[in-house]
Amino acid sequence: MQIAMAIAREDAAGRNYLTWAPVQGTVRLLDVDAGDRVDPVSVTLTNDNPEVGGQLEFAPARDQNRSASLDLVLPPDGSPVDFWVAGVVGKPSSTDGDAVIRVAEAGAVEALVSKPVMVRIRKNANQLSPAERDRFTTTLAKLNDQGAGLFKDFREMHRQQLALAQAHGAPGFLSWHRAYLLDLERELQRLDPSVTLPYWRFDQPAPNLFTADFMGRSGALGNVSFSGTNLLRQWQTDGAAGVTREPGFNVQTGRANVINQAITLLLGGDRPNAIFDTGTDQDGFDEMEFNPHGNAHTSFTGSSYIRSRGTAPRDPLFFLLHCNVDRLWARWQWFHNRFDGTQPNTFFFRGSATSTPHTDIGHNLLDTMWPWNNVTGFPRPDNAPRTPFPQVATATAPGPAPTVGDMIDYLGFLNAQSAMNFAYDDVPFGVAPT
Ligand SMILES: [Cu+2]
């Protein structure tokens, strides 16, 4: 007996990269030409190795509970049967293809077909395996290509004054940086599809991050040194080699001078009966741009690149800092159920939830974002270094010119078509249990 299995959003090489967001698949009988098969065939989908590698769970429909195995009945005429598959939170992949879907006839030992996939998740940088760490540093160094590579566009996007105004100081900060990180991550994945951006949890010590093998070790004058095997030792930006970074905290035992995650998740929170809800806080979540975000930047002293907006992207650590900013937004969304951009409590306008649109372009839900929109001329900058937004086989969103609002439902919780194919290790699909 032969069967075929397919999972939506394969890349050009036939590989699937999954997150916590369910993706549709199909299984069907193949050997139906003879017409002599009259009985349906029962099969079971499971993880090939439930002990090792990324783990998957299955359901017969997108909105049904998923479990480690799923029984399907395949019609004798070969018509496909749908299933939905997603990664198991807490069990992401560490290498490409280490999560294997297996289909066997019910009760049989031999698999009829199996398919390796990757549960590709953004992880805590302090907890990466050496191999994951090295894949990231190597790929980022390649994108920089000693200052000659595509990375310089990302550097440029976060420097010009008019560009900074559209990305900072108002609610669009969150959406713009989400798009910025995803754009960079997709470029990294073109070079190595198993790479994701790690995040620096700046409210916890991260001794494994500030090492010569990873983000580098800061010397007396803020010169950052890298090990001989770390390709970031070739780092160049704006014609200058290396990175200047002076931590104002003990990188072995200390943490940045920021409010912690629990306090951050309270901002803008008005969920009834939530354990963190004081019922009195009126600050919007966008206050987090100042603390913890701004405080994380200024936890570095002196001439540290990461301390100032215009030079921050010259330090690779900047992207790990912002990945945590984006993770905090994602976790806040999960915690408070804030995925519906049409609800004012999802996207807070400073002043009041019903206030008139923000006067600065790039901060309203329906504004397209520079540079991906290719709009130039005041008040936009006079050039657009990256356009359109990169489109990938593994995701249907965002489109080539994303709006601020397009970046909100990143896992496709409300609309499957909104899923962007990235997720964080500790932010599940859905809404926090009450
Ligand atoms: Cu920042």
Side-chain angles (χ1 to χ4, degrees), residues 158 168 173 177 289 293-294 297 306 309 312 318 321-322 325:
H158 206 273
H168 297 84
F173 166 78
H177 284 84
E289 182 179 350
H293 160 255
H297 279 282
I306 202 168
R309 284 176 180 175
F318 168 77
L321 185 162
H322 264 276
V325 168

Side-chain angles (χ1 to χ4, degrees), residues 348-358:
F348 187 86
F349 290 100
R350 187 169 292 144
S352 88
T354 55
S355 66
T356 50
H358 202 282

